[in-house]
Amino acid sequence: MEIEQAYQKCTERLMWACALLQASVEPQELAPITDLIVQPMTGPWRFFHTPQHIFKVGATEDAIEVLAALFHDLVYVQVDCSINFQLSYYITPYTKEVKGQLVIREPSDLPADPMFEMVASVFGFVPGQVLQPFAGQNEFLSAVIAVKVLERFLQPEHLIQIVAGIEATIPFRSSSEDGLTVSDRLFQRLQITCEKFNLNLSEEELFEAVKKAVRVSNRDVASFAHPNPAHFLANTWNLLPETNHNLINCSYTVRDYRLALEKMEGFMNFLRPEVIFRQYRGEPSDRAFKLWDSTARKNLEIAKLYLGSKLVAIAFVEALSSSIGPDVPLVIMMGNMPNGNCDSPRLENFIPVVANAYQPKNDLEREVMNLLEKGRAKSAKYDMEHSPLATFMVKSMGFEEMRCQCSRAKAFFKQELTAIDFISEFDPAVAKVLIDGVVKLFESHKSAISRMSWVKNRILWESCVNSSNSDSSANK
């Protein structure tokens, strides 16, 4: 989405939501708010959490949900590596940095501000609390900004519901030990907050507020339930450079790429599917919830096997590259990314078609084989959509052996295996093809450079001619 489109759509959504909530606001008053939202969402590290994402999360006809969606990803410290200067204006009165961590100020250092206290109450946060990056830090700070920006136009009864929607986007949380779900606990905090600040919301309205929050939360993680695994993985690939910034540089190393895959593969194996989507008092319907849950479970299984297979392939490349040095650019080992202006050879050009290729044994293996061979839904700027190296390995050795080699790869990453030990226990025929392929790629680079020797000869010839002409002129 072009930045001009993002500004226009954000302004339109703000105007529409405020009008629906009967807020008295002029269009010119919304311009700085639009800038406040769009600017950080179009930062250099944003690839998934972009304006397009917040518009998808706010794809609804409910004003509260739209506003919660617009503000919910404003602050994303892990991605942006900082907090946008304009945003910091709204949160520095309430937070400070202590030893590299963000902390809510102590009571004596906090301004008297009922709206900030309301936000903290909905989140269950207290003065002096250290904000944890994966336990609500970004969402809390985003909610504070939303309230401070919108309090001029909206009633507290509206603001608390927007805060609830943002709080609900803290992802992947389990039920408490006493069996209360994330949504149950949010409802309890809303009740306490309404009583504390004398807000005019009935119990039924609070139930509805939680339902709205659940809808925002579920749309935020909707990609997990995409019916096409190729699109799910494409979204996953958009997440990788947000926290692995070296991938944005075309000269990222083998290790850079491996670390990104390793972290994502670890996350997919850690994530429990039952904490992805939420259901509260019939929202969503049983049918929709079961469909999302089952699709997410399928996509997770696909992602784990897919990422594990790619991890084995990059581990082999890293083991080979270690003989050259610790930080070898991936393009040296694999070749340049293909594009219309460059037809330079790549490693897969030297890998033969596998005779008697392994045949997938079940639907999961068939799906992953297709994704490795044909590719994700679209290429990322930093990576191809298909995986020729992993495809060759799977067709040569099968998925069971790839699972075994994935465990060995992780031992290699932890330096429990040397590069030689890791490679030596590969199928010798597979290892030979890959090593020979890298050698041929290097030889093609050498040949390309050698073909430039005529330039050297021409320079030498021109130098001799010029020197001869100079001597002739001097003799005259």
Side-chain angles (χ1 to χ4, degrees):
M1 176 177 285
E2 297 293 333
I3 192 166
E4 292 81 6
Q5 290 178 299
Y7 272 95
Q8 181 180 351
K9 187 165 184 177
C10 186
T11 301
E12 290 172 352
R13 296 305 276 165
L14 284 169
M15 281 293 297
W16 174 86
C18 287
L20 206 63
L21 297 176
Q22 298 181 336
S24 178
V25 55
E26 296 298 326
Q28 62 269 23
E29 295 179 276
L30 294 179
I33 299 176
T34 297
D35 189 57
L36 196 73
I37 294 172
V38 174
Q39 191 178 107
M41 301 296 293
T42 53
W45 314 121
R46 298 287 186 122
F47 287 81
F48 180 85
H49 297 96
T50 61
Q52 189 169 359
H53 172 67
I54 60 174
F55 297 143
K56 285 182 178 179
V57 176
T60 176
E61 294 303 309
D62 185 277
I64 295 294
E65 295 174 41
V66 167
L67 291 172
L70 290 177
F71 284 91
H72 84 284
D73 273 337
L74 276 190
V75 176
Y76 213 136
V77 178
Q78 303 96 296
V79 171
D80 300 327
C81 295
S82 63
I83 296 176
N84 180 277
F85 183 75
Q86 292 188 78
L87 301 180
S88 64
Y89 169 83
Y90 293 94
I91 58 179
T92 49
Y94 313 103
T95 59
K96 61 182 179 180
E97 184 176 336
V98 179
K99 297 180 179 178
Q101 293 181 301
L102 292 174
V103 179
I104 299 176
R105 293 179 183 273
E106 297 293 342
S108 59
D109 199 21
L110 281 170
D113 188 335
M115 288 298 96
F116 171 78
E117 293 173 19
M118 182 187 75
V119 175
S121 179
V122 172
F123 275 76
F125 290 179
V126 296
Q129 179 173 333
V130 175
L131 298 176
Q132 301 295 335
F134 299 102
Q137 167 189 271
N138 299 319
E139 294 80 2
F140 174 69
L141 297 177
S142 296
V144 170
I145 296 166
V147 165
K148 298 312 295 177
V149 167
L150 297 173
E151 65 178 342
R152 291 179 296 156
F153 315 119
L154 301 179
Q155 299 299 316
E157 286 79 6
H158 295 141
L159 296 173
I160 191 175
Q161 294 180 68
I162 295 167
V163 172
I166 297 174
E167 193 278 343
T169 62
I170 304 172
F172 314 132
R173 290 178 286 172
S174 303
S175 296
S176 60
E177 292 182 0
D178 56 2
L180 293 176
T181 67
V182 172
S183 301
D184 292 330
R185 300 198 298 273
L186 176 58
F187 175 79
Q188 288 183 344
R189 293 195 300 274
L190 287 174
Q191 276 189 314
I192 293 170
T193 305
C194 281
E195 292 175 7
K196 182 177 180 181
F197 294 95
N198 296 315
L199 300 184
N200 188 27
L201 289 171
S202 67
E203 184 177 68
E204 189 59 39
E205 287 173 318
L206 292 182
F207 286 142
E208 288 303 313
V210 176
K211 287 183 180 181
K212 292 177 183 182
V214 165
R215 287 195 287 268
V216 173
S217 170
N218 286 339
R219 284 194 296 270
D220 194 31
V221 293
S223 63
F224 278 93
H226 200 292
N228 187 339
H231 285 276
F232 166 64
L233 287 172
N235 282 323
T236 300
W237 248 245
N238 283 335
L239 285 167
L240 290 179
E242 287 200 332
T243 51
N244 299 276
H245 295 169
N246 287 342
L247 296 185
I248 299 172
N249 186 335
C250 62
S251 62
Y252 62 84
T253 67
V254 175
R255 187 172 181 273
D256 289 334
Y257 185 73
R258 183 265 291 177
L259 283 171
L261 288 187
E262 186 181 12
K263 286 190 288 185
M264 185 57 73
E265 193 267 352
F267 168 73
M268 291 295 183
N269 278 281
F270 170 80
L271 181 59
R272 293 180 293 112
E274 61 268 21
V275 301
I276 298 174
F277 292 102
R278 298 176 194 158
Q279 186 180 35
Y280 183 76
R281 291 178 169 263
E283 176 57 50
S285 68
D286 288 343
R287 180 180 179 182
F289 182 76
K290 288 176 182 176
L291 176 61
W292 296 345
D293 181 71
S294 63
T295 307
R297 290 174 186 274
K298 175 187 173 184
N299 282 336
L300 274 182
E301 290 305 310
I302 289 170
K304 287 188 283 189
L305 185 55
Y306 176 86
L307 286 162
S309 300
K310 287 183 70 70
L311 205 54
V312 172
I314 197 63
F316 194 96
V317 173
E318 184 172 358
L320 288 180
S321 72
S322 66
S323 63
I324 303 174
D327 296 307
V328 179
L330 186 63
V331 295
I332 297 295
M333 303 300 296
M334 301 285 289
N336 289 307
M337 281 278 288
N339 63 64
N341 301 320
C342 179
D343 194 26
S344 60
R346 288 182 50 81
L347 177 56
E348 63 260 30
N349 300 142
F350 305 105
I351 295 177
V353 175
V354 179
N356 301 316
Y358 172 82
Q359 297 301 310
K361 295 179 179 179
N362 51 47
D363 289 343
L364 172 62
E365 290 191 355
R366 277 187 286 274
E367 189 74 65
V368 174
M369 178 74 87
N370 183 64
L371 286 164
L372 291 171
E373 189 170 17
K374 302 292 178 57
R376 302 179 301 276
K378 59 182 178 180
S379 292
K381 290 182 179 180
Y382 63 92
D383 195 18
M384 298 188 305
E385 72 273 13
H386 65 296
S387 310
L389 200 59
T391 300
F392 169 76
M393 288 183 166
V394 172
K395 287 188 173 183
S396 300
M397 302 188 300
F399 279 109
E400 197 55 45
E401 178 64 15
M402 291 294 279
R403 289 185 177 96
C404 176
Q405 292 296 343
C406 187
S407 297
R408 296 186 65 251
K410 292 175 182 178
F412 167 56
F413 301 150
K414 295 176 183 175
Q415 299 184 332
E416 296 170 359
L417 286 177
T418 66
I420 292 175
D421 289 338
F422 177 65
I423 291 175
S424 64
E425 290 192 33
F426 255 78
D427 181 316
V430 173
K432 183 178 186 306
V433 167
L434 297 176
I435 293 171
D436 288 349
V438 172
V439 170
K440 290 175 182 176
L441 179 63
F442 285 5
E443 288 175 345
S444 73
H445 293 329
K446 177 183 175 182
S447 178
I449 293 173
S450 296
R451 287 196 296 271
M452 299 299 289
S453 61
W454 68 271
V455 176
K456 178 191 71 174
N457 295 333
R458 179 176 176 179
I459 293 171
L460 289 173
W461 178 79
E462 289 180 348
S463 177
C464 290
V465 170
N466 291 336
S467 177
S468 176
N469 290 338
S470 297
D471 291 342
S472 297
S473 297
N475 290 334
K476 289 179 180 180

